[in-house]
């Protein structure tokens, strides 16, 4: 494990952009397991999968969503813990979570060979998600791994600069973000704005961000297909080629670099904040 | 003037990226006036100039800076008010301001035919600026003009997502940002990270941002030369071509578009914030 004075070693961080189909729970999970295995073969030890992986995303009704949801320790966690154990991986994945009070949450799990390390419930819900899910109200936990400190975020959360800031201030080296970015598939060299947000969030905090999008049309919805791993300078270390469809990207990352917040001999992305001026104003 | 129910008309917004030389106060001001006149000829009615325009940036000492500073209503304001009056312009410009208590501020002025409309003092100081300037501690004022609501920010302020958020929440349609981005001049199609920050800040708030960088080496320092006008979708409406040097860009902007914060029938960049969760956390 990382200890003070011992920077964590370099690690392969993968984003596994898979094609999913709402309701095809077994097929979705099988495709994810295959992609995680490919990532492991290619040297990844941290693998990020899309949002709402096993259920799919475009629910016809809240009732359909309920039928596709699972507890945090359900089939998704079981299948991915098994593959994490086999390859000694850390895996981040989105799950339609049914919690004890009966509500559904758009959640993400971080798991490793020991099972679930943390559950995060998406705080910023997009569009019709609010018909199905109750938003979370807690900051993601920062989990220490042999390669660095990892935290979760989900999709639309990345558009809220305050949220990524808080996650970084809490000590994350890498933000693992399962996403489903609805939109037209990437067809030009112009980066999707979703990736631009990730770049700015990474650079503004000098953290790594691994955002895993999905692919495959679903009930008329298409996806940006913009999965990327971005470094603390805001530059993509790996990004999905135009129109790549299903695709596993692996980037070599020294996550400990995220602990150097300095941008000059006298400046730092966090040290130069003026929180006394932001107080109050940001809470309106 | 814009009134409720009367969206402001389209306006040409210019960024005038000029070459400056520290200490050449008359030359710097003359070049700026010429660039503003060019912008006006090309249809601009709002013109943004670089940070610390008349003084230059790379001071050898605080003493040198003091000698080059001026009161807010000094020669910079006088010369630019004159040209603003002639062409009916709004002009944003950076000035090394000497205030009544004797301190120096890295300030920006917004002025029009009536003179100075507002003074803003840079809150986030970069590197050796702290040897010369006292940081400001107030949010920029939002100024109503015939074309929309304008506010100022200066250079490194744009890296602080909280600050741009606050300016947008205060009602700005366009953030006018005099900048001096030290760095290598742009030589590839990859956008400077400074511009990526501007893109994300614009899109995260659905505001326009006009950032005016400078050019011309100064005491060994070069500049990114990345001036750009970015729209509320985060896409550059005008950006400096590779290695363009001195350059005036004009973008047609309907600044009232910044008042539509919706991103779907049910989502908005400000409405979807969760300020109750950010409270306290962001002030640490």
């Amino acid at each position: 494990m990382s200890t003070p004075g011992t920077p964590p070693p370099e690690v392969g961080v993968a984003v596994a952009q898979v094609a999913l189909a709402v309701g095809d729970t077994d097929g979705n999970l099988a495709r994810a397991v295959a992609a995680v295995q490919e990532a492991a073969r290619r040297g990844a030890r941290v693998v990020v999968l899309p949002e709402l992986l096993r259920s799919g995303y475009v629910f016809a009704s809240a009732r359909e969503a309920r039928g596709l949801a699972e507890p945090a320790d359900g089939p998704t966690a079981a299948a991915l813990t098994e593959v994490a154990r086999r390859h000694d991986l850390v895996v981040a994945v989105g799950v339609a979570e049914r919690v004890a009070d009966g509500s559904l949450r758009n959640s993400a799990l971080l798991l490793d060979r020991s099972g679930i390390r943390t559950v995060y419930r998406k705080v910023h819900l997009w569009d019709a998600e609010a018909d199905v899910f109750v938003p979370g109200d807690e900051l993601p936990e920062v989990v220490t791994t042999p390669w660095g400190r990892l935290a979760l975020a989900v999709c639309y959360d990345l558009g809220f600069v305050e949220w990524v800031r808080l996650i970084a201030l809490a000590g994350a080296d890498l933000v693992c973000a399962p996403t489903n970015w609805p939109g037209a598939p990437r067809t030009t060299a112009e980066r999707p704005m979703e990736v631009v947000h990730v770049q700015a969030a990474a650079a503004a905090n000098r953290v790594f961000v691994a955002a895993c999008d999905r692919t495959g049309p679903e009930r008329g919805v298409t996806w940006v297909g913009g999965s990327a791993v971005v470094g603390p300078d805001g530059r993509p270390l790996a990004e999905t080629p135009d129109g790549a469809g299903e695709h596993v990207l692996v980037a070599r990352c020294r996550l400990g670099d995220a602990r150097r917040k300095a941008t000059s001999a006298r400046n730092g992305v966090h040290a130069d904040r003026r929180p006394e001026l932001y107080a109050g104003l940001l809470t309106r």
Side-chain angles (χ1 to χ4, degrees), chain A residues 68-237:
Chain A
L68 295 170
E70 59 186 295
D73 61 354
T76 298
L80 293 172
T81 297
E82 169 58 28
V83 70
R85 191 169 291 145
R86 202 155 43 206
H87 300 282
D88 193 16
L89 305 174
V90 176
V91 178
V93 60
V95 60
E97 183 192 7
R98 190 173 57 245
V99 302
D101 68 7
S103 69
L104 302 191
R105 306 299 187 121
N106 185 339
S107 297
L109 312 176
L110 192 75
L111 47 82
D112 64 13
R113 58 185 313 134
S114 71
I116 296 173
R117 295 289 305 274
T118 192
V119 181
Y120 164 70
R121 291 160 183 158
K122 186 178 185 179
V123 154
H124 303 90
L125 297 182
W126 175 256
D127 203 45
E129 293 175 29
D131 293 336
V132 172
F133 298 110
V134 174
D137 53 13
E138 288 183 22
L139 197 66
E141 189 184 1
V142 176
V143 173
T144 299
T145 75
W147 303 287
R149 299 186 294 238
L150 275 51
L152 295 162
V154 179
C155 198
Y156 190 42
D157 284 331
L158 296 173
F160 292 84
V161 293
E162 298 92 338
W163 205 237
V164 183
R165 180 71 100 193
L166 287 168
I167 296 168
L169 287 171
D173 301 321
L174 168 65
V175 179
C176 299
T179 73
N180 283 356
W181 283 325
R186 181 178 178 176
T187 53
T188 73
E190 189 74 21
R191 285 205 178 98
M193 272 311 297
E194 290 84 353
V195 177
V196 173
H197 279 293
V198 169
Q199 292 185 268
N205 294 290
R206 293 199 59 78
V207 292
F208 292 81
V209 181
C212 184
D213 199 7
R214 61 167 286 189
T215 185
E218 189 176 272
R219 291 179 174 164
V221 175
T222 56
W223 316 91
V224 169
S227 302
V229 181
V230 175
D233 62 356
R235 294 296 179 201
L237 297 164

Side-chain angles (χ1 to χ4, degrees), chain A residues 38-58:
Chain A
E38 179 190 335
R41 274 195 306 273
R42 290 171 50 199
R45 304 295 290 279
V46 176
V47 186
V48 183
L49 287 160
E51 181 182 7
L52 298 177
L53 177 90
R54 179 170 169 269
S55 60
Y57 183 90
V58 187

